[in-house]
Amino acid sequence: MAQVTTLPVKESIDHIASSINWMTEDYPPYNYIESGEIKGISVILIKKIYSNLDIQPELLNLSLYPWARAYKTLQQDKNSCLFSMTHTQERAEQFNFIGPIIDTRISLISLSDRNLATHPKALTKMRIGVVKNDIGHQLLLKKGMSEKRFVFLSTGYEMVKMLAMGRVDIIAYGENIAKFQFGKAGILPSQYKVISVLKNSQLGFACNKQVPKPFIEALQKSLMKVKIEELQQFNQTQ
């Protein structure tokens, strides 16, 4: 019988890391591209997680794609991971989550001068801006919303611009990210409002179910260690 060679844990983690295709989207301030470089809070965090595991920086294979493309790739590619993703029970059954990164709230947002009802019957008559397979889209589908009501856009920035121009009645998106995108588009906080909260949750890193469990566990432990160290540093400055 041929002898099975088992790699040491550190070499095994490095080997897995080298095969992982990390993906992200334009979701500032957590992840975005600036001057050709992928930046953001979550990008810094995954680099710290790798560093804490002594994984060489060049083994972090990171690309930025539109969310719909990245989400589909995550479903199909056994060596893929994606961030930042809002945690739901349905997604937790599809993917392996590492987190949490930070709390998030997904809401319906309109212009301030619109007096819109948010009961289910009223929503069926509205044009709702979403990013395909983003959490806002998925939550509204779960509530029974017809695909006919959605206006699919590639990014949060496109959504807030379409809202400002009156091309959609409301958008379904993470509040923090929407706030950032409104500012980027030159739209003042007084010009928009949250009209309904869809879900309170947390952001995290998500990996295809085929990504080896020891790698997922190592990432989770490293994330917790990084967060504890950051909390301790914060407390020392107070």
Side-chain angles (χ1 to χ4, degrees):
M1 181 180 294
Q3 184 176 2
V4 177
T5 302
T6 302
L7 290 173
V9 174
K10 178 64 176 68
E11 290 184 23
S12 176
I13 293 298
D14 284 355
H15 178 72
I16 297 169
S18 68
S19 69
I20 299 297
N21 299 313
W22 284 94
M23 301 173 293
T24 191
E25 63 157 339
D26 182 49
Y27 204 64
Y30 304 111
N31 22 270
Y32 57 95
I33 194 162
E34 183 178 82
S35 302
E37 182 181 353
I38 302 174
K39 300 180 178 181
I41 296 168
S42 297
V43 177
I44 293 171
L45 187 54
I46 190 61
K47 288 180 178 179
K48 286 184 177 180
I49 290 170
Y50 265 40
S51 176
N52 185 263
L53 291 169
D54 293 324
I55 300 173
Q56 296 301 311
E58 59 268 21
L59 295 183
L60 179 63
N61 306 310
L62 178 59
S63 301
L64 188 142
Y65 299 123
W67 180 259
R69 174 182 172 184
Y71 193 88
K72 185 175 182 179
T73 301
L74 181 65
Q75 292 174 312
Q76 298 175 344
D77 181 358
K78 67 178 183 179
N79 293 318
S80 63
C81 296
L82 172 62
F83 65 91
S84 303
M85 184 182 282
T86 301
H87 181 277
T88 65
Q89 185 58 43
E90 293 79 8
R91 286 175 167 180
E93 292 171 2
Q94 277 191 279
F95 312 116
N96 284 321
F97 266 83
I98 300 101
I101 298 173
I102 197 168
D103 292 338
T104 187
R105 187 163 71 175
I106 314 305
S107 298
L108 297 177
I109 303 170
S110 74
L111 295 178
S112 296
D113 59 4
R114 300 289 304 277
N115 187 22
L116 301 174
T118 58
H119 55 79
K121 189 174 181 180
L123 290 177
T124 62
K125 299 178 181 179
M126 296 183 194
R127 298 161 299 171
I128 307 172
V130 297
V131 172
K132 188 173 181 64
N133 276 328
D134 178 69
I135 185 63
H137 177 214
Q138 292 183 344
L139 290 173
L140 288 171
L141 283 176
K142 189 177 179 181
K143 289 178 178 291
M145 189 63 56
S146 169
E147 290 277 11
K148 296 178 181 179
R149 304 319 310 160
F150 298 125
V151 177
F152 292 111
L153 300 157
S154 297
T155 65
Y157 182 73
E158 287 185 10
M159 280 203 295
V160 301
K161 293 287 285 185
M162 291 287 277
L163 182 66
M165 292 188 292
R167 303 285 179 84
V168 296
D169 299 305
I170 56 176
I171 60 173
Y173 210 48
E175 284 186 31
N176 288 342
I177 301 87
K179 181 179 180 180
F180 192 98
Q181 298 288 25
F182 276 119
K184 183 179 176 181
I187 301 168
L188 300 174
S190 60
Q191 294 177 282
Y192 61 90
K193 63 183 178 182
V194 171
I195 60 173
S196 179
V197 175
L198 294 175
K199 186 176 183 64
N200 289 291
S201 187
Q202 296 170 318
L203 293 175
F205 303 95
C207 293
N208 184 283
K209 284 284 190 179
Q210 297 302 308
V211 172
K213 189 174 180 180
F215 185 68
I216 299 295
E217 293 174 345
L219 293 179
Q220 183 64 50
K221 290 178 181 178
S222 181
L223 170 62
M224 292 299 100
K225 183 177 180 181
V226 169
K227 292 183 75 171
I228 290 171
E229 289 172 351
E230 289 183 346
L231 180 61
Q232 290 172 339
Q233 291 174 1
F234 175 79
N235 290 335
Q236 289 172 1
T237 63
Q238 300 306 299

